[in-house]
Amino acid sequence: MPSTPSDLYGLIDGNNFYVSCERVFNPRLENKPVVVLSNNDGCVVARSQEAKDLGIKMGVPWFQVRHLERKGLIAQSSNYALYADMSARMMSVMGQYSPRQEVYSIDESFLLFEGFGSWNLQEHLHRLRAQVRQWVGIPVCGGLGSTKTRAKLANRLAKRELEFGGVCHLESMDLREQARYLSRVEAGDVWGVGRRTTEKLAALNIRTALDLLKAPPDFIRQRFGVALERTVRELNGLACFGLEDEPAPRQQIVASRSFGQRVTELSELRESVLSYMARAGEKLRRQNSVCAVVGVFLRTNAFAPEEPQYHPMATIPLPSPAQDSFTLAKAAIRGLESIYRKGYRYQKAGVMLMELSPASQGQYGLFPEENGDRVTLSRLSDRINDRMGRDTLRLAGSLETGGWRMRRGAASPAYTTSWRELPLASS
């Protein structure tokens, strides 16, 4: 048995996360083939294991698999408010098991077990799994490795190989056993290896994670660059990627969505742009940044070539960097009105916040007290919406009255984020 490194990374993620969130509040979905659909009920973005067993692929358009409803397939519209809240609850429980945590995505978290000494970390993760399942209702799997890439790989094995019971400790295996499992994992399933890279690796007869581990790092760097070289070194136990305790601030924020139906009127486009700007402004203030340039864009349907096409974008420099909803919204509407043209059927609109910088470095205009009042009011609105539910307070012009609203024909209630949609129990 090899000696276990003193410091280990753990990667824990929710199994079929969106589907699992739906099942927490609707137990009738358990053991049923379930898919979650993208915005406007377009494509499959999450699948239960039972849906995977029906041969449903990720990203397939809903209309192509809808006939499987006859075989018991159930479709849910995406409910991102629910998923985000369930993610926060899950991450909070995970964070109790290590002093250092990196929330990597909505359903994945890295933990660094530094200085845990003789702790049985495999059993530690089993306790974590049980507590997340009991407190939050989400099933999770965990992987342990000497690097983040190896922890990711171990997590994949924990999901695929039933004998691990949901937790795989890669460093507890001898080298022969590690090689046996790594030979079962395709190179394209290794963290950081994309589809095109997979094809190029296959041409070099590098087809599995074990093949990639054995590849000379210098050769990989010469053929593929430093990023893949680091992946190879991580597979060999040399840590190249550290834990990011705090996510790096975004350098650009985009809020965009396809419409539920084609839109032609400026009034409806104005509603959508103001609604998207409200979301973007919340994200901007959450990372305590300010924006110097606002972008607005429109899109017609590129897949309807028989219709006139128009894909404009406007950029509006601000007099001074801002983060309040009022300044951002005013700039967005000015940009929208400059690019709107009658005679087009618009499929999508969006806003972009560009040239971001920390709010502490912002250079404000001639009336800083006025700027401060607008920021205070915007942040107050954020807090009320966080506590009372999204859009409890909003700009009047963003009221969703038009047909641009997203189609969500099979959406579950916002069980955890809206007072109006709390589940009721009766005796």
Side-chain angles (χ1 to χ4, degrees):
M1 184 74 65
S3 60
T4 301
S6 57
D7 298 339
L8 287 174
Y9 289 91
L11 189 279
I12 301 91
D13 73 341
N15 300 342
N16 308 316
F17 181 68
Y18 290 175
V19 172
S20 294
C21 290
E22 299 287 350
R23 284 174 166 171
V24 169
F25 295 95
N26 188 357
R28 288 175 293 182
L29 299 178
E30 290 286 350
N31 302 316
K32 302 284 182 63
V34 180
V35 295
V36 174
L37 304 177
S38 63
N39 294 339
N40 292 309
D41 295 342
C43 300
V44 172
V45 295
R47 306 159 293 162
S48 68
Q49 185 57 53
E50 296 81 4
K52 296 174 186 177
D53 293 341
L54 289 177
I56 298 174
K57 304 296 184 183
M58 183 68 81
V60 65
W62 169 233
F63 73 86
Q64 292 184 6
V65 296
R66 190 168 190 167
H67 65 279
L68 293 175
E69 287 181 309
R70 295 193 296 269
K71 294 186 177 181
L73 179 64
I74 301 170
Q76 294 287 138
S77 300
S78 52
N79 186 341
Y80 295 117
L82 173 66
Y83 308 151
D85 187 70
M86 295 297 284
S87 171
R89 295 165 187 252
M90 184 175 74
M91 297 305 173
S92 176
V93 176
M94 291 179 183
Q96 299 176 24
Y97 283 77
S98 170
R100 296 193 61 190
Q101 177 184 27
E102 175 189 339
V103 177
Y104 181 66
S105 69
I106 193 170
D107 65 338
E108 294 178 284
S109 181
F110 282 106
L111 301 177
L112 178 58
F113 299 107
E114 192 175 29
F116 274 61
S118 60
W119 277 52
N120 185 334
L121 290 178
Q122 196 162 357
E123 183 59 34
H124 192 56
L125 288 197
H126 278 296
R127 288 194 294 271
L128 182 154
R129 290 184 73 231
Q131 187 170 349
V132 171
R133 183 65 159 161
Q134 181 180 11
W135 287 21
V136 186
I138 302 293
V140 301
C141 284
L144 288 162
S146 57
T147 66
K148 292 173 79 172
T149 302
R150 286 175 69 87
K152 264 277 206 179
L153 191 58
N155 177 272
R156 187 170 190 84
L157 292 170
K159 286 188 171 184
R160 290 174 46 174
E161 309 291 343
L162 295 180
E163 62 263 33
F164 291 123
V167 174
C168 174
H169 189 340
L170 198 59
E171 311 308 335
S172 68
M173 307 177 192
D174 60 36
L175 295 180
R176 181 177 297 181
E177 190 177 14
Q178 287 185 25
R180 180 163 61 88
Y181 282 112
L182 266 60
S183 66
R184 300 181 187 178
V185 179
E186 296 181 4
D189 289 334
V190 175
W191 186 39
V193 180
R195 181 179 59 82
R196 292 183 179 178
T197 301
T198 302
E199 295 170 355
K200 293 177 181 178
L201 288 171
L204 299 171
N205 206 31
I206 300 175
R207 303 180 184 277
T208 69
L210 182 62
D211 295 334
L212 190 58
L213 179 148
K214 292 180 176 179
D218 293 339
F219 169 77
I220 292 296
R221 178 172 186 168
Q222 182 181 10
R223 295 295 296 267
F224 297 93
V226 67
L228 192 61
E229 178 206 7
R230 288 173 178 164
T231 296
V232 172
R233 294 190 184 280
E234 285 244 329
L235 284 173
N236 282 277
L238 179 63
C240 299
F241 307 121
L243 203 70
E244 297 180 11
D245 300 279
E246 295 291 337
R250 302 184 191 189
Q251 299 304 305
Q252 186 178 85
I253 294 174
V254 179
S256 174
R257 192 166 288 165
S258 296
F259 300 141
Q261 62 187 43
R262 302 293 181 267
V263 172
T264 59
E265 299 300 319
L266 177 61
S267 59
E268 292 190 61
L269 292 172
R270 188 182 290 113
E271 286 181 11
S272 68
V273 164
L274 286 174
S275 179
Y276 301 152
M277 183 55 78
R279 305 285 179 266
E282 289 174 4
K283 295 176 182 178
L284 182 72
R285 291 186 291 275
R286 192 174 298 130
Q287 71 176 39
N288 199 28
S289 295
V290 291
C291 160
V293 178
V294 170
V296 182
F297 61 87
L298 297 171
R299 298 287 184 269
T300 52
N301 186 2
F303 295 98
E306 71 279 4
E307 296 184 3
Q309 297 295 308
Y310 183 46
H311 306 284
M313 179 170 177
T315 54
I316 310 297
L318 300 179
S320 59
Q323 63 171 209
D324 66 277
S325 296
F326 308 96
T327 301
L328 300 177
K330 185 176 180 180
I333 294 304
R334 190 162 74 250
L336 171 65
E337 291 174 346
S338 73
I339 59 176
Y340 170 74
R341 300 290 183 273
K342 289 186 177 181
Y344 294 99
R345 285 161 45 86
Y346 297 101
Q347 182 195 29
K348 187 175 186 178
V351 300
M352 301 174 66
L353 304 183
M354 299 173 284
E355 296 189 21
L356 308 187
S357 59
S360 58
Q361 299 176 11
Q363 296 181 2
Y364 298 101
L366 294 175
F367 305 101
E369 67 284 349
E370 184 178 340
N371 292 331
D373 290 343
R374 290 196 294 257
V375 171
T376 299
L377 186 55
S378 297
R379 288 186 173 276
L380 177 61
S381 175
D382 293 344
R383 290 198 296 272
I384 291 174
N385 288 333
D386 284 343
R387 183 172 180 179
M388 305 300 295
R390 174 169 284 183
D391 294 332
T392 300
L393 284 182
R394 65 166 87 180
L395 295 174
S398 66
L399 294 175
E400 299 179 8
T401 60
W404 62 273
R405 289 177 294 176
M406 182 173 60
R407 288 196 308 272
R408 301 173 69 216
S412 55
Y415 295 106
T416 63
T417 56
S418 172
W419 289 104
R420 294 185 295 273
E421 299 182 43
L422 283 174
L424 301 177
S426 58
S427 58

